[in-house]
Amino acid sequence: MSLEVFSYESLVHAVSGAMGSVTAMSVFFPLDTARLRLQVDENRVAKSTPAILAEIIKEEGLLAPYRGWFPVICSLCCSNFVYFYCFHSLKGSYLKGHQSTPSTDLLMGMAAGIVNVLVTTPLWVVNTRLKLQGSKFRNADIRSTNYSGIFDAFAQIVRNEGVGALWNGTFPSLLLVLNPAIQFMIYEGLKRQLKKGAPRELTSIEVFIIGAVAKAVATTVTYPLQTIQSVLRFGQLNESTEKSKLMSSLRTIKSLLVNRARRYGVFGLFKGLEAKLLQTVLTAALMFLLYEKIASCTFRVMGLQNAHHKRR
């Protein structure tokens, strides 16, 4: 069966990816809370993941590490559905049944990432705000917010900051399409190496390891931009008066990177990387494992197991 843009196979990949990512994120959600707090709250002294989680629980309650879980899960589900659907449908349409290459995986990953960013950025802006709402910050310049839920956050942001605020951080997000693109390129490349031309289903440990390796490389390479993305989504910066949105975005990103480097040194650009790697590597590894198992079981029921493994 040819994998076209509007095929059932693309839908299976999309649903499997969404289900896998939601389950994995739910398991490791406190680690993402620690990562985001380290990125946004620059004056926080605690630098290790256990230390900051202990601080959050002590100051804000036992459930504080799970604050904002629902909007994050909703955003992640939509985001991964869009990404997996676009990646596999574009890749299948381009290859038309032939085996992929690393350059093809990178190109298709970037294309899927661009579509994903443009469609889902408003969801990520809202979930960043909700996740940080009610937090006890060390940085006195951070303004408190009062959103009662996802829809109220959307309404308040549009009313007080304009519709464009829902796409805060879009430019660094577009640059960050390299993250999942690199991740999928490494992941798919390692899968091909492990299979070595023989169509077979990888073991759970193999999928977990190559998923972890792929995400670790992609995260480390793009982490400084991820920090700037989180700051911009939180919406605590003064509005730019420049007419050119592109030039304004470029100058804002440059200013944030330079200021953070001057204030904390080069390693300040990687503040929170430990928490991010711990969270994202474990989450990605578990996500790929669940994704592969869900997709494999579905294709087996559909009678498409061999075609699925040969194409990948």
Side-chain angles (χ1 to χ4, degrees), residues 12-250:
V12 171
H13 284 295
V15 172
S16 301
M19 290 176 63
S21 62
V22 164
T23 304
M25 175 58 84
S26 296
V27 172
F28 298 113
F29 193 80
L31 299 178
D32 191 58
T33 297
R35 180 272 309 175
L36 185 59
R37 200 69 66 87
L38 283 168
Q39 286 181 327
V40 172
D41 194 2
E42 297 179 357
N43 294 335
R44 187 172 287 276
V45 176
K47 292 180 172 57
S48 69
T49 302
I52 194 170
L53 285 175
E55 274 188 0
I56 292 171
I57 292 172
K58 181 180 179 181
E59 296 175 359
E60 303 169 33
L62 189 61
L63 296 180
Y66 282 91
R67 181 185 290 116
W69 173 83
F70 184 71
V72 169
I73 291 303
C74 290
S75 301
L76 189 67
C77 184
C78 294
S79 180
N80 276 280
F81 182 91
V82 171
Y83 191 90
F84 274 83
Y85 191 96
C86 289
F87 179 79
H88 287 286
S89 60
L90 290 173
K91 182 177 172 180
S93 298
Y94 180 79
L95 293 174
K96 299 187 184 302
H98 296 92
Q99 191 176 48
S100 184
T101 63
S103 60
T104 301
D105 292 330
L106 184 64
L107 182 63
M108 295 301 107
M110 291 177 66
I114 290 172
V115 174
N116 182 38
V117 165
L118 296 177
V119 171
T120 65
T121 290
L123 290 171
W124 288 111
V125 168
V126 167
N127 91 55
T128 299
R129 305 280 187 98
L130 289 172
K131 192 169 182 182
L132 291 170
Q133 182 169 274
S135 303
K136 295 184 182 299
F137 294 109
R138 300 297 188 272
N139 189 343
D141 294 332
I142 295 179
R143 303 183 299 274
S144 61
T145 56
N146 185 25
Y147 305 127
S148 61
I150 296 175
F151 295 110
D152 182 54
F154 270 112
Q156 285 198 43
I157 292 171
V158 172
R159 182 171 61 250
N160 300 328
E161 303 172 45
V163 176
L166 292 173
W167 276 268
N168 280 350
T170 296
F171 191 74
S173 295
L174 287 173
L175 297 178
L176 280 170
V177 300
L178 282 172
N179 184 300
I182 292 171
Q183 175 186 341
F184 270 77
M185 178 183 70
I186 296 173
Y187 179 77
E188 296 288 342
L190 290 174
K191 279 182 67 175
R192 285 191 291 271
Q193 288 298 314
L194 288 173
K195 291 181 179 181
K196 295 182 179 178
R200 68 178 180 91
E201 186 172 348
L202 298 182
T203 65
S204 297
I205 190 65
E206 286 175 328
V207 173
F208 191 89
I209 290 174
I210 64 174
V213 169
K215 191 61 177 180
V217 174
T219 297
T220 303
V221 169
T222 61
Y223 188 75
L225 278 174
Q226 292 183 53
T227 299
I228 301 309
Q229 178 192 58
S230 294
V231 172
L232 290 172
R233 283 175 173 172
F234 192 34
Q236 296 288 333
L237 297 175
N238 294 326
E239 291 292 326
S240 173
T241 57
E242 291 189 54
K243 291 183 178 180
S244 172
K245 293 291 185 182
L246 177 60
M247 291 305 297
S248 175
S249 296
L250 286 171

